[in-house]
Amino acid sequence: MSVKLPEPIQRYTTEHDEPLRQGPYRSALRDERLAAILGASLGILFSICFVTGLYSHVHQHPLSWLPIPARPAGLYRFTQSLHVVAGIASMPVLVAKLWVVWPRFVAFPVAKRASQVVERIGLFPLVAGGIFMTFSGIANIAQWYPWRFSFTASHYWMAWVTMGAIVSHVGSKWFITRRALKRPSRRPALAAADPVLRTTAEGPGEGLSRRGLLTTVAAASGLLTLTTIGQTIRPLRHLGLLAPRDPTVGPQGFPVNRGAANAGVVDLANSPAYRLEISGRVARPMSLTLDQLRALPAHDTVLPIACVEGWSYSAPWSGVRVRDLLDMAGAEPDRTILLESLEPQGAYRTSTLNSGQADDRDTLLATHLDGEPLALDHGFPCRLIAPNRPGVLQTKWVTKVVVL
Ligand SMILES: Nc1nc2c(c(=O)[nH]1)N[C@H]1C(S)=C(S)[C@@H](COP(=O)(O)O)O[C@H]1N2
Ligand SMILES: [Mo]
């Protein structure tokens, strides 16, 4: 009786390992284990970006059945910083991973089995998606828009495409990856005895070792992180050589994205005709002058502005609680509200607050920053400041509060 033994692992390994080092691509670095380590790292970084990105998306496109809570106050600042940090750190890993597996893309014949055809077609959204997500994200935080299409929409939809491709790629590579990660790394003596590896300039001993490449990639990621994280971690701002922002530079010592002149609100904000109106579903609509607004009971809080671009700062604010204004105007307890700024146009001229956000004790229409009246660029005469909220929704130059 003959028993069919399972195929020796070694053969299977070779079948998958060899195409990485064919023809001109003989570097010992193009191997399964390195591809697996880099791939797993990328998978983790991209997943962090995906989850934090979705969280940011629901803030900006609220779902009625999933109201975002106002607490913890610093949560969005944390998740969005993490989003941008993970995106930046993934750059060197992506480049290295593409380099290692490059021979696979140009391998011939294209496929031996039908499943490989599917797999290779699936590489397109994977590679194109990974490159697009990283590139568009980096360009956005640098405020460089070399394209005509909407950044938020394309970054959002491509995230689903890329993540879908990652999930199916992980599925198809699960066993190979696990095996490659478990396998002890190739001993140098063995590799040195390999005639192919020995004859290439990139072989062990002469070029970069596998460990060396991983260390280089990790160092590059670490360096990029260290030189950009200063845009959100204040004590590290002097290291922020590549950071688009210094969190201490700007009017009143805090940065500004869109100033009053760009927004076209200078005259309206300075005009004595300025009013803060509370209207919509209220018993007593109100129209307050700036003096009347400033005469209302003020409340102090320390809250962050956390821009979607990954820079942030925490500051002491003072102003009127939104819930006090709503109560004065006689709004119903369960209230969604819309804020409108003086800006004549633009994507950020309005924002909404759900009931929980509007009623938080720290949700203010701030008139003061750091003990001084708000600078025009920070939203004078008054701006929204609320806990756990993307910067883009902290509406400046507020003139209308509408209860929906
Ligand atoms: N009306 C209005 N409010 C706005 C903006 C805007 O363009 N218009 N920019 C937002 C963005 S993107 C951010 S990050 C914060 C920054 O607040 P700051 O300029 O006071 O630092 O303001 C937000 N409020
Ligand atoms: Mo922002």
Side-chain angles (χ1 to χ4, degrees), residues 153-176:
S154 55
H155 200 70
Y156 174 69
W157 287 110
M158 279 303 277
W160 284 101
V161 172
T162 311
M163 214 52 208
I166 289 175
V167 168
S168 74
H169 186 69
V170 168
S172 72
K173 298 286 181 189
W174 186 257
F175 292 104
I176 298 173

Side-chain angles (χ1 to χ4, degrees), residues 255-258 307 313 341 343 348 378 383 391 394 396-397:
V256 159
N257 231 6
R258 193 145 174 260
C307 184
Y313 63 89
S341 86
E343 271 172 289
Y348 310 145
H378 283 302
R383 67 110 34 98
Q394 307 277 25
K396 305 195 273 193
W397 315 294

Side-chain angles (χ1 to χ4, degrees), residues 10 17-18 21 26-31 33 184-211:
Q10 201 45 48
D17 207 6
E18 280 320 303
R21 287 186 273 115
R26 283 177 170 185
S27 167
L29 293 175
R30 305 204 200 241
D31 83 345
R33 189 174 155 85
S185 51
R186 199 199 315 273
R187 266 167 296 148
L190 257 178
D194 181 330
V196 175
L197 299 184
R198 228 179 14 192
T199 54
T200 61
E202 293 172 299
E206 288 167 68
L208 203 56
S209 69
R210 190 157 61 190
R211 177 168 303 221

Side-chain angles (χ1 to χ4, degrees), residues 143 257-258 305-311 348 390-393:
Q143 302 197 324
N257 231 6
R258 193 145 174 260
I305 291 284
C307 184
V308 293
E309 289 156 21
W311 56 270
Y348 310 145
V392 49
L393 301 180

Side-chain angles (χ1 to χ4, degrees), residues 252 367-375:
Q252 299 180 277
T367 50
H368 291 73
L369 164 55
D370 212 4
E372 293 166 32
L374 279 181

Side-chain angles (χ1 to χ4, degrees), residues 354-392:
N354 65 37
S355 197
Q357 294 169 329
D359 285 347
D360 191 278
R361 65 190 148 82
D362 282 341
T363 296
L364 310 181
L365 282 182
T367 50
H368 291 73
L369 164 55
D370 212 4
E372 293 166 32
L374 279 181
L376 203 48
D377 283 342
H378 283 302
F380 173 87
C382 78
R383 67 110 34 98
L384 177 75
I385 183 77
N388 186 30
R389 198 168 169 81
V392 49

